[in-house]
Every structure is written in structure tokens, then in C-alpha cells.
Amino acid sequence: MAMKLSFLAMLLCLLLASTPKAHASVFDVTSATYGAKPGSDVSTALAKAWSDACASPSASKVVVPSGTYKLKEATFRGPCKAPIEMQVQGTLQAPVDAGQLTRPDTWVGFQYIDMLTLSGGGTFDGQGALSWNQNDCHKNKNCKPLPVNLRFEFLTNSKVQDITSLNSKFFHMHVFRCNHTTFQQLTITAPDESRNTDGIHIGASTAINITHSKIGTGDDCISIGDDSHEITVTDVTCGPGHGISIGSLGKYKEEKDVTGIIVKNCTLANTENGVRIKTFPDSPSPSTASGIHYEDIIMVNVSNPILIDQLYCPYTQCEQKPPSKVKISNVSFKNIKGSSFTPLAVKLVCTTGIPCENVELTDIDLTYGGDKGPLTSMCSNVKPTITGVTKALGCATSSLAALPLSKK
């Protein structure tokens, strides 16, 4: 009997060994089928490879091997029949002139895809230096759109990992109507003087996770717009840039609420702001921002480490007197340590008529530029709960009339 069982076990092992393992079908843009070559425009080859991979009934992988390729523009659209991965190992370069794009606000887009993975260790180079000089959005609220390096729209159960976004003409990554999507091990880079180059902007999305990434740009490292929920940011290094921001909110009619934001274990170095919530005065419609929690944050030479700014006005064309209609509540700042570039370490400027509620400051341990002097704080239309080391900082009050409009 034992010999019979042993024979059956051996037969089973042989059968398992001989069964072919399931592998994703590979669509290499440099294969004879697609004909792409380093140094040439890969737009047509990449579009064909994507079309074939998306139609595959089994898992598929589009591969851009190492090398530098030109890419005029691309929109990769689903739905696809099975999980799909785009593995960019090389460098894709955008046209220097944004006028060459048929979709003026997007260089590379991904739309309507379930179970997408974008990976490979490669680089999306927006070649944006010329556009930065032409960008007047910092003073013109009706400025023309400029292309985003990577636009993700209507993705579900997806992952963007191990890629670099370099020198985008406008935002590096724009996330809209995405659900259950993770961004990890990213490098996002543009010089400090590059205007409006937000690292990752999120809007109208739910269950987005950003982690283990390094972001340095000329604007917000991460910005979270209206109708965003369950957004988690962890282990992100930000700098240069304008910090990690909720908003700006309250600019447009019928904006939706923001809820459930967690920013934890992050480092901000040499940034204009640290952790920030910003809303416009004179909002056209009411909305709320609640359940926002910052914890275990390191500040290194940050100009405005902790900031709620409900007088945000980047174009200096706002009416200051009508208050913001964005209600801010249930916000906590916990265990925030490091150095402030200015003596004003905490500035909580809430709206008149709708004061901020349930704001908590716990264990805020900051120094002014390496002990240059005492820190100060400012609070308007808010009575924060202050505990731990923060007690030494206090929270002075100031009238709204004495506060200037923020321009950054």
C-alpha cells in the first residue's frame, strides 16, 4: 500500500512539473512586430502594442526597453480584457513645444482601466523648461492649460510604481476619478523655479495610497482637491516645493466635501509650507473638509510648518471680505518635529462665521532655525486643543483684518 501511495505522489509531482506556468503575454515595442528604435518617435509603436495587449484575454505586459525614445503624445484607454502592465524601462521624452500636442492639457494619459500596473524604473521626461517661462497661471486665473506629464482617469485597483516623472510642463501626475489605486516608489523631480508643477494632484478620487516616494518640485509636492476621500500619504520626502496640501478648496461652484485624509511619517525639507489646508475667500458654494490627520512629520527649515489658510489667494484678485464657505473640522497635528525657517511655526487662519472645529495640536516640537529665537503662533476663528510639548508654544490670537492674503 505504501509503495502504491509513493508511486501516486511521484506521478503527481511529474504532472505539476510538466504543467506550463501562466505568464503574461509580452508586447515589446522594439520587436519586429512594432519596430520602435531608441532615438526615434515611439508613439505609433506604443499605441499598437497597447491596443494588442489590451485586447489580450489573458494578462499582458507592454515593454519599453532601456534607451531614450521620443513620444509625441499618448492616451492609453481601456477597458482591457485582463490585467495589463506597462513596463517602461527607458526614457520617454515629450516634445519641448507644448503646442505640438493635440490634447493641450495632457502628454501621457491612462483612462478607464481596471488592474493597471505602470512600472519599470523608467523616466517620463516632460522637457518643461520652456513652458515654465511661458506659464502665467501664478498671476492669470484664466491661463491656458499646459500638459500634465501623466494623467490617470477612471482607474480602479491599479498601481503606479518605480517610475520617475521629470521636468513636467505642468502637474507631474493628475489623478481624477480613480479608486483603490496605489502610487509607490516614485521619484518626481523639477527645479524650485518651475511654476505649477505639483507632484501629485488628486481630485474626485477614493482610497488612494501614496507611499515610499521622493517629490521635489516648484509647487505642492502633493495636493488634494475636492471630492477626495480616504487618501493616505506615508513615507514621502518632500522638497523643494510648497508642501503637502489639502486644496485649494472653495474656488468653484458646487465643490464636494473632502474627508478621511492621513499624512504620516513624512519629511519636508526647505519647503515654502509644511502641512497645509488652503481655501479661497468668497467661496461660491458651501462644502466641508474633515477628518484630516497629520502625524509623525519631520520639518527641516520649513517656512510655514503648520498652516490652515482660509484666505488663500494666489492671483491677488480675491475679495478678502466675503469669507470662505468651506467648513474645516476634526483636524489633528501630532508629533511634528524639526525646524522652522521663520518664527511663525503655527498659523491657523479660519473663516469668519464658520470657525474651524475640533482642531488638535499635540507634541509640536519645533525650533526656529536652530535656536535663533522663540517661536510664535497665530490663530483666528479657531480654538485648538493644545497638549504635550505644544503647551510651550501657545496659540496667540489675531484679528482677520490684520492678516495678509497668502499668495503661494
Side-chain angles (χ1 to χ4, degrees):
M1 182 68 176
M3 185 178 293
K4 191 172 184 180
L5 288 172
S6 178
F7 174 76
L8 288 173
M10 184 180 296
L11 182 62
L12 180 60
C13 288
L14 288 172
L15 285 171
L16 289 172
S18 63
T19 301
K21 295 181 180 179
H23 291 287
S25 301
V26 176
F27 299 81
D28 187 331
V29 297
T30 61
S31 67
T33 302
Y34 304 111
K37 295 180 181 179
S40 63
D41 191 321
V42 73
S43 301
T44 300
L46 195 50
K48 289 180 178 178
W50 174 267
S51 179
D52 292 345
C54 190
S56 172
S58 60
S60 60
K61 181 187 297 185
V62 177
V63 176
V64 180
S66 59
T68 299
Y69 307 82
K70 304 294 183 182
L71 177 63
K72 183 178 179 182
E73 61 186 344
T75 298
F76 304 105
R77 189 181 177 97
C80 297
K81 291 186 176 180
I84 187 167
E85 178 176 0
M86 179 174 287
Q87 192 174 92
V88 177
Q89 300 168 3
T91 296
L92 298 173
Q93 291 182 329
V96 172
D97 180 8
Q100 294 185 32
L101 277 66
T102 56
R103 187 179 178 186
D105 65 352
T106 305
W107 174 38
V108 178
F110 293 86
Q111 299 177 332
Y112 302 99
I113 308 164
D114 183 41
M115 301 185 72
L116 165 74
T117 299
L118 175 61
S119 65
T123 297
F124 291 81
D125 183 359
Q127 301 202 101
L130 179 63
S131 293
W132 302 332
N133 294 328
Q134 298 172 345
N135 187 345
D136 65 347
C137 290
H138 62 293
K139 59 183 179 181
N140 177 13
K141 60 183 178 182
N142 298 313
C143 61
K144 294 180 180 179
L146 288 169
V148 171
N149 255 14
L150 291 160
R151 188 178 295 274
F152 303 100
E153 299 171 303
F154 301 94
L155 303 187
T156 55
N157 306 309
S158 295
K159 187 180 296 182
V160 178
Q161 64 183 24
D162 191 27
I163 62 168
T164 294
S165 177
L166 176 66
N167 292 339
S168 181
K169 293 177 174 64
F170 200 57
F171 293 180
H172 284 262
M173 298 184 184
H174 192 287
V175 181
F176 179 76
R177 293 291 180 197
C178 294
N179 294 303
H180 296 93
T181 296
T182 295
F183 297 81
Q184 63 186 13
Q185 297 170 338
L186 304 178
T187 301
I188 298 176
T189 302
D192 192 22
E193 65 269 18
S194 59
R195 298 184 182 125
N196 298 109
T197 54
D198 291 41
I200 303 175
H201 177 76
I202 301 166
S205 296
T206 300
I208 303 298
N209 181 32
I210 302 171
T211 187
H212 296 100
S213 297
K214 184 175 182 180
I215 305 174
T217 72
D219 211 295
D220 293 327
C221 291
I222 296 170
S223 55
I224 299 171
D226 78 299
D227 199 17
S228 295
H229 312 277
E230 299 175 40
I231 312 297
T232 302
V233 178
T234 57
D235 297 301
V236 169
T237 299
C238 168
H242 292 178
I244 297 175
S245 298
I246 312 299
S248 52
L249 304 176
K251 183 179 180 181
Y252 302 104
K253 290 183 179 179
E254 299 180 357
E255 286 189 10
K256 296 184 179 179
D257 299 341
V258 172
T259 61
I261 312 298
I262 296 174
V263 179
K264 189 172 182 178
N265 293 328
C266 293
T267 298
L268 297 102
N270 302 307
T271 53
E272 292 283 349
N273 306 287
V275 288
R276 171 170 66 156
I277 303 171
K278 50 179 176 172
T279 77
F280 279 88
D282 195 22
S283 308
S285 303
S287 63
T288 65
S290 62
I292 300 169
H293 304 291
Y294 306 96
E295 187 172 358
D296 301 335
I297 309 294
I298 296 174
M299 305 283 181
V300 182
N301 207 37
V302 173
S303 293
N304 301 290
I306 298 172
L307 179 61
I308 294 178
D309 182 7
Q310 295 208 261
L311 290 174
Y312 177 72
C313 183
Y315 314 116
T316 64
Q317 298 174 6
C318 306
E319 285 288 339
Q320 185 176 2
K321 290 182 180 179
S324 173
K325 295 185 181 69
V326 180
K327 172 72 173 182
I328 295 175
S329 64
N330 299 321
V331 179
S332 65
F333 302 92
K334 295 182 178 180
N335 193 31
I336 298 179
K337 302 178 179 180
S339 58
S340 174
F341 183 70
T342 66
L344 185 58
V346 176
K347 183 178 179 181
L348 309 179
V349 180
C350 296
T351 185
T352 58
I354 317 175
C356 297
E357 291 185 346
N358 299 325
V359 176
E360 180 181 353
L361 296 166
T362 301
D363 293 332
I364 310 300
D365 188 5
L366 296 167
T367 62
Y368 172 30
D371 294 327
K372 288 183 179 179
L375 287 171
T376 61
S377 58
M378 178 183 294
C379 295
S380 295
N381 302 305
V382 60
K383 296 179 180 179
T385 300
I386 301 172
T387 58
V389 178
T390 318
K391 286 181 178 178
L393 182 63
C395 197
T397 59
S398 175
S399 66
L400 279 174
L403 300 175
L405 290 171
S406 173
K407 299 179 183 179
K408 293 184 179 182

Short mmCIF file of all heavy atoms in Angstrom, two decimals, residues 357-384:
data_model
loop_
_atom_site.label_atom_id
_atom_site.label_comp_id
_atom_site.label_asym_id
_atom_site.label_seq_id
_atom_site.Cartn_x
_atom_site.Cartn_y
_atom_site.Cartn_z
N GLU A 357 -13.48 73.70 13.71
CA GLU A 357 -13.88 72.98 14.92
C GLU A 357 -13.03 71.73 15.11
O GLU A 357 -12.61 71.09 14.13
CB GLU A 357 -15.36 72.60 14.86
CG GLU A 357 -16.31 73.78 14.94
CD GLU A 357 -17.76 73.35 15.00
OE1 GLU A 357 -18.04 72.17 14.72
OE2 GLU A 357 -18.62 74.19 15.33
N ASN A 358 -12.81 71.40 16.39
CA ASN A 358 -12.10 70.18 16.76
C ASN A 358 -10.73 70.09 16.08
O ASN A 358 -10.39 69.11 15.43
CB ASN A 358 -12.94 68.94 16.41
CG ASN A 358 -14.26 68.90 17.15
OD1 ASN A 358 -14.34 69.33 18.29
ND2 ASN A 358 -15.29 68.40 16.49
N VAL A 359 -9.95 71.13 16.27
CA VAL A 359 -8.57 71.15 15.79
C VAL A 359 -7.66 70.84 16.97
O VAL A 359 -7.77 71.46 18.03
CB VAL A 359 -8.20 72.51 15.17
CG1 VAL A 359 -6.73 72.54 14.77
CG2 VAL A 359 -9.08 72.80 13.96
N GLU A 360 -6.75 69.89 16.77
CA GLU A 360 -5.91 69.41 17.86
C GLU A 360 -4.43 69.57 17.51
O GLU A 360 -4.00 69.19 16.42
CB GLU A 360 -6.22 67.94 18.13
CG GLU A 360 -5.41 67.32 19.25
CD GLU A 360 -5.74 65.85 19.46
OE1 GLU A 360 -6.69 65.35 18.81
OE2 GLU A 360 -5.04 65.19 20.25
N LEU A 361 -3.68 70.14 18.43
CA LEU A 361 -2.23 70.24 18.31
C LEU A 361 -1.60 69.45 19.45
O LEU A 361 -1.81 69.78 20.62
CB LEU A 361 -1.78 71.70 18.39
CG LEU A 361 -2.24 72.64 17.27
CD1 LEU A 361 -2.01 74.09 17.68
CD2 LEU A 361 -1.51 72.34 15.98
N THR A 362 -0.84 68.41 19.12
CA THR A 362 -0.25 67.55 20.14
C THR A 362 1.23 67.31 19.85
O THR A 362 1.59 66.89 18.74
CB THR A 362 -0.98 66.19 20.18
OG1 THR A 362 -2.35 66.40 20.47
CG2 THR A 362 -0.37 65.27 21.24
N ASP A 363 2.07 67.58 20.84
CA ASP A 363 3.51 67.31 20.73
C ASP A 363 4.12 67.94 19.48
O ASP A 363 4.69 67.27 18.62
CB ASP A 363 3.78 65.79 20.73
CG ASP A 363 3.44 65.16 22.07
OD1 ASP A 363 3.52 65.86 23.09
OD2 ASP A 363 3.09 63.97 22.09
N ILE A 364 3.98 69.25 19.41
CA ILE A 364 4.62 70.02 18.34
C ILE A 364 5.96 70.51 18.87
O ILE A 364 6.01 71.38 19.74
CB ILE A 364 3.74 71.20 17.89
CG1 ILE A 364 2.30 70.73 17.61
CG2 ILE A 364 4.36 71.87 16.67
CD1 ILE A 364 2.17 69.68 16.55
N ASP A 365 7.04 69.96 18.39
CA ASP A 365 8.38 70.25 18.91
C ASP A 365 9.24 70.83 17.79
O ASP A 365 9.98 70.12 17.11
CB ASP A 365 8.99 68.97 19.47
CG ASP A 365 10.30 69.22 20.20
OD1 ASP A 365 10.67 70.41 20.36
OD2 ASP A 365 10.96 68.24 20.59
N LEU A 366 9.13 72.14 17.59
CA LEU A 366 9.84 72.82 16.51
C LEU A 366 10.78 73.88 17.08
O LEU A 366 10.52 74.44 18.15
CB LEU A 366 8.84 73.49 15.55
CG LEU A 366 7.90 72.56 14.78
CD1 LEU A 366 6.78 73.35 14.14
CD2 LEU A 366 8.66 71.75 13.74
N THR A 367 11.86 74.15 16.36
CA THR A 367 12.76 75.22 16.74
C THR A 367 12.84 76.22 15.60
O THR A 367 12.56 75.89 14.44
CB THR A 367 14.17 74.69 17.04
OG1 THR A 367 14.71 74.08 15.85
CG2 THR A 367 14.15 73.68 18.17
N TYR A 368 13.22 77.44 15.92
CA TYR A 368 13.36 78.49 14.91
C TYR A 368 14.78 78.49 14.39
O TYR A 368 15.69 79.00 15.03
CB TYR A 368 12.98 79.83 15.51
CG TYR A 368 13.25 81.04 14.64
CD1 TYR A 368 13.22 80.96 13.24
CD2 TYR A 368 13.53 82.27 15.22
CE1 TYR A 368 13.47 82.06 12.46
CE2 TYR A 368 13.79 83.39 14.43
CZ TYR A 368 13.75 83.27 13.05
OH TYR A 368 14.00 84.38 12.27
N GLY A 369 14.98 77.89 13.21
CA GLY A 369 16.27 77.92 12.52
C GLY A 369 17.46 77.56 13.38
O GLY A 369 18.49 78.20 13.28
N GLY A 370 17.30 76.53 14.23
CA GLY A 370 18.42 76.16 15.08
C GLY A 370 18.59 77.11 16.24
O GLY A 370 19.67 77.65 16.48
N ASP A 371 17.51 77.38 16.95
CA ASP A 371 17.54 78.22 18.16
C ASP A 371 17.91 79.67 17.88
O ASP A 371 18.69 80.29 18.60
CB ASP A 371 18.49 77.63 19.20
CG ASP A 371 18.01 76.29 19.72
OD1 ASP A 371 16.78 76.13 19.80
OD2 ASP A 371 18.83 75.43 20.03
N LYS A 372 17.33 80.24 16.81
CA LYS A 372 17.54 81.67 16.56
C LYS A 372 16.72 82.54 17.51
O LYS A 372 17.00 83.73 17.66
CB LYS A 372 17.15 82.01 15.11
CG LYS A 372 18.12 81.48 14.07
CD LYS A 372 17.69 81.92 12.68
CE LYS A 372 18.66 81.44 11.61
NZ LYS A 372 18.24 81.85 10.25
N GLY A 373 15.72 81.95 18.09
CA GLY A 373 14.87 82.71 18.99
C GLY A 373 13.59 81.96 19.26
O GLY A 373 13.41 80.83 18.80
N PRO A 374 12.65 82.58 20.00
CA PRO A 374 11.39 81.89 20.33
C PRO A 374 10.46 81.79 19.13
O PRO A 374 10.48 82.63 18.23
CB PRO A 374 10.79 82.79 21.41
CG PRO A 374 11.35 84.14 21.13
CD PRO A 374 12.74 83.91 20.61
N LEU A 375 9.66 80.73 19.13
CA LEU A 375 8.64 80.56 18.10
C LEU A 375 7.37 81.29 18.49
O LEU A 375 7.09 81.53 19.67
CB LEU A 375 8.33 79.07 17.92
CG LEU A 375 9.39 78.24 17.20
CD1 LEU A 375 9.02 76.77 17.29
CD2 LEU A 375 9.53 78.65 15.76
N THR A 376 6.58 81.63 17.49
CA THR A 376 5.28 82.24 17.72
C THR A 376 4.21 81.45 16.98
O THR A 376 4.50 80.59 16.15
CB THR A 376 5.24 83.71 17.24
OG1 THR A 376 5.49 83.74 15.83
CG2 THR A 376 6.29 84.54 17.96
N SER A 377 2.96 81.77 17.29
CA SER A 377 1.83 81.12 16.63
C SER A 377 0.72 82.14 16.45
O SER A 377 0.71 83.19 17.09
CB SER A 377 1.34 79.93 17.45
OG SER A 377 0.97 80.36 18.75
N MET A 378 -0.21 81.81 15.57
CA MET A 378 -1.32 82.73 15.27
C MET A 378 -2.57 81.92 15.01
O MET A 378 -2.54 80.96 14.22
CB MET A 378 -0.97 83.59 14.06
CG MET A 378 -2.07 84.55 13.63
SD MET A 378 -1.61 85.45 12.13
CE MET A 378 -0.24 86.42 12.74
N CYS A 379 -3.66 82.27 15.66
CA CYS A 379 -4.92 81.58 15.45
C CYS A 379 -6.05 82.59 15.28
O CYS A 379 -6.14 83.55 16.04
CB CYS A 379 -5.25 80.68 16.65
SG CYS A 379 -4.11 79.32 16.88
N SER A 380 -6.90 82.36 14.29
CA SER A 380 -8.08 83.20 14.07
C SER A 380 -9.27 82.31 13.81
O SER A 380 -9.22 81.41 12.97
CB SER A 380 -7.86 84.13 12.88
OG SER A 380 -6.83 85.05 13.14
N ASN A 381 -10.35 82.56 14.54
CA ASN A 381 -11.60 81.81 14.37
C ASN A 381 -11.41 80.31 14.58
O ASN A 381 -11.98 79.50 13.86
CB ASN A 381 -12.22 82.10 13.00
CG ASN A 381 -12.50 83.57 12.79
OD1 ASN A 381 -13.20 84.19 13.60
ND2 ASN A 381 -11.94 84.14 11.74
N VAL A 382 -10.60 79.98 15.58
CA VAL A 382 -10.39 78.58 15.95
C VAL A 382 -9.88 78.55 17.38
O VAL A 382 -9.12 79.43 17.81
CB VAL A 382 -9.39 77.90 14.99
CG1 VAL A 382 -8.03 78.59 14.99
CG2 VAL A 382 -9.22 76.42 15.32
N LYS A 383 -10.31 77.55 18.12
CA LYS A 383 -9.82 77.33 19.48
C LYS A 383 -9.27 75.92 19.56
O LYS A 383 -9.98 74.98 19.94
CB LYS A 383 -10.95 77.55 20.50
CG LYS A 383 -11.47 78.98 20.54
CD LYS A 383 -12.59 79.13 21.55
CE LYS A 383 -13.10 80.57 21.59
NZ LYS A 383 -14.22 80.72 22.58
N PRO A 384 -8.01 75.74 19.18
CA PRO A 384 -7.45 74.40 19.13
C PRO A 384 -7.24 73.80 20.52
O PRO A 384 -7.01 74.52 21.49
CB PRO A 384 -6.11 74.60 18.42
CG PRO A 384 -5.73 76.01 18.73
CD PRO A 384 -7.02 76.77 18.77
#
